């Protein structure tokens, strides 16, 4: 089956530092999505990417859809304590009739020390 | 606009029982997908519904089933519960079926099977 490898598994950083995480896939995706999940809540959509090479920002967050369509990365600049949480990448295959099936990475646990 | 609403938030059941979980999508969204989240397996796709029809199903046993109503609300049912069914069950909705229609998640139902 499809595999999404997300790294790193966890990060411990100081407030103000920049963060980078990435996902690689064994197969091609047509959509990459990045989510953040806080304890006791569902994943919240951060950024959606739909085209190979696309670079999209959302405030201090920037994500890119890899040229090969098999990878994506997320950068967080100038981290703050509320960035703490688990970040997930998710990929969606092309075509067919099912657009609700996403393959998720294992998640990156981010801890920010004030 | 209200987000995806899942009820109940918490459930405790015993082995062998059955359970029904409910999901109300974002107003205007017609596609609903269900995911299971566990520490060991991460986020796994269960099934997707659009226009009251199941469009895709993940690799789960037949004890897991679902349906969608004409108002797009969805329910999932798990029969003959097993200890391993303990998980956070997440519902996600999207406006339509399409590659540019991201999934928005609810806060989930935490199911504990004893």
């Amino acid at each position: 089956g499809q595999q999404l490898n997300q790294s790193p598994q966890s990060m411990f950083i100081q407030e103000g530092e920049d963060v980078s995480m990435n996902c690689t896939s064994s197969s091609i995706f047509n959509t990459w999505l990045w989510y953040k999940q806080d304890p006791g809540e569902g994943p919240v959509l951060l950024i959606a990417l739909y085209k190979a090479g696309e670079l999209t920002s959302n405030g201090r967050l920037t994500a890119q859809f890899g040229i090969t369509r098999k990878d994506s990365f997320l950068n967080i600049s100038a981290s703050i304590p509320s960035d703490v949480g688990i970040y997930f990448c998710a990929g969606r295959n092309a075509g067919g009739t099912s657009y609700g099936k996403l393959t998720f990475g294992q998640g990156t646990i981010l801890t920010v020390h004030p | 606009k209200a987000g995806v609403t899942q009820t109940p938030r918490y459930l405790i059941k015993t082995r062998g029982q059955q359970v029904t979980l409910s999901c109300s999508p974002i107003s205007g969204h017609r596609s609903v997908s269900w995911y299971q989240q566990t520490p060991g397996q991460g986020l796994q796709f269960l099934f997707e519904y659009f226009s009251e029809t199941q469009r895709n199903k993940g690799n789960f046993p037949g004890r897991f089933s679902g349906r969608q109503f004409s108002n797009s609300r969805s329910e999932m049912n798990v029969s003959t519960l097993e200890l391993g069914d303990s998980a956070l069950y997440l519902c996600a909705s999207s406006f339509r079926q399409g590659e540019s229609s991201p999934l928005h998640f609810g806060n989930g139902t935490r199911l504990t099977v004893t």
Side-chain angles (χ1 to χ4, degrees):
Chain A
Q2 292 177 335
Q3 297 280 330
L4 262 191
N5 293 312
Q6 185 172 349
S7 64
Q9 283 189 311
S10 60
M11 301 183 75
F12 298 84
I13 62 171
Q14 292 293 128
E15 183 177 357
E17 289 184 354
D18 295 344
V19 171
S20 185
M21 58 191 79
N22 68 83
C23 277
T24 57
S25 168
S26 58
S27 55
I28 288 172
F29 288 118
N30 272 14
T31 302
W32 281 97
L33 304 168
W34 284 91
Y35 290 88
K36 177 178 181 251
Q37 187 174 25
D38 291 329
E41 299 183 7
V44 174
L45 181 67
L46 298 173
I47 292 180
L49 302 159
Y50 303 109
K51 198 182 296 185
E54 180 181 355
L55 184 71
T56 297
S57 292
N58 178 10
R60 294 179 295 105
L61 277 61
T62 302
Q64 184 158 31
F65 191 144
I67 294 289
T68 64
R69 293 164 65 192
K70 290 186 177 182
D71 62 337
S72 177
F73 73 74
L74 174 71
N75 285 344
I76 304 173
S77 63
S79 59
I80 58 178
S82 63
D83 290 334
V84 165
I86 306 176
Y87 291 79
F88 291 97
C89 62
R92 175 193 274 154
N93 287 119
T97 59
S98 174
Y99 295 94
K101 181 179 181 181
L102 302 178
T103 301
F104 278 85
Q106 304 96 319
T108 295
I109 302 171
L110 179 63
T111 303
V112 180
H113 295 288
Chain B
K1 191 150 88 164
V4 177
T5 304
Q6 292 188 245
T7 56
R9 286 299 306 274
Y10 303 93
L11 263 179
I12 300 175
K13 292 284 188 178
T14 56
R15 275 179 298 175
Q17 288 186 313
Q18 72 154 17
V19 67
T20 299
L21 313 181
S22 180
C23 172
S24 293
I26 292 172
S27 178
H29 284 198
R30 295 173 60 197
S31 177
V32 172
S33 300
W34 289 87
Y35 286 79
Q36 182 196 64
Q37 186 176 27
T38 59
Q41 299 298 315
L43 282 143
Q44 301 284 317
F45 172 76
L46 279 158
F47 27 64
E48 177 192 8
Y49 286 87
F50 181 77
S51 292
E52 302 177 64
T53 302
Q54 187 179 89
R55 299 293 174 155
N56 201 352
K57 190 173 178 358
N59 295 324
F60 281 83
R63 300 184 296 106
F64 292 80
S65 63
R67 59 178 176 167
Q68 186 181 35
F69 302 95
S70 58
N71 61 359
S72 295
R73 193 176 68 83
S74 177
E75 288 180 348
M76 68 163 281
N77 185 78
V78 188
S79 63
T80 319
L81 284 166
E82 301 177 359
L83 294 179
D85 296 334
S86 294
L88 180 67
Y89 289 88
L90 292 160
C91 169
S93 74
S94 62
F95 176 63
R96 60 182 177 88
Q97 285 208 306
E99 291 177 2
S100 61
S101 191
L103 270 60
H104 298 272
F105 285 84
N107 284 330
T109 293
R110 171 75 62 185
L111 173 65
T112 301
V113 182
T114 63

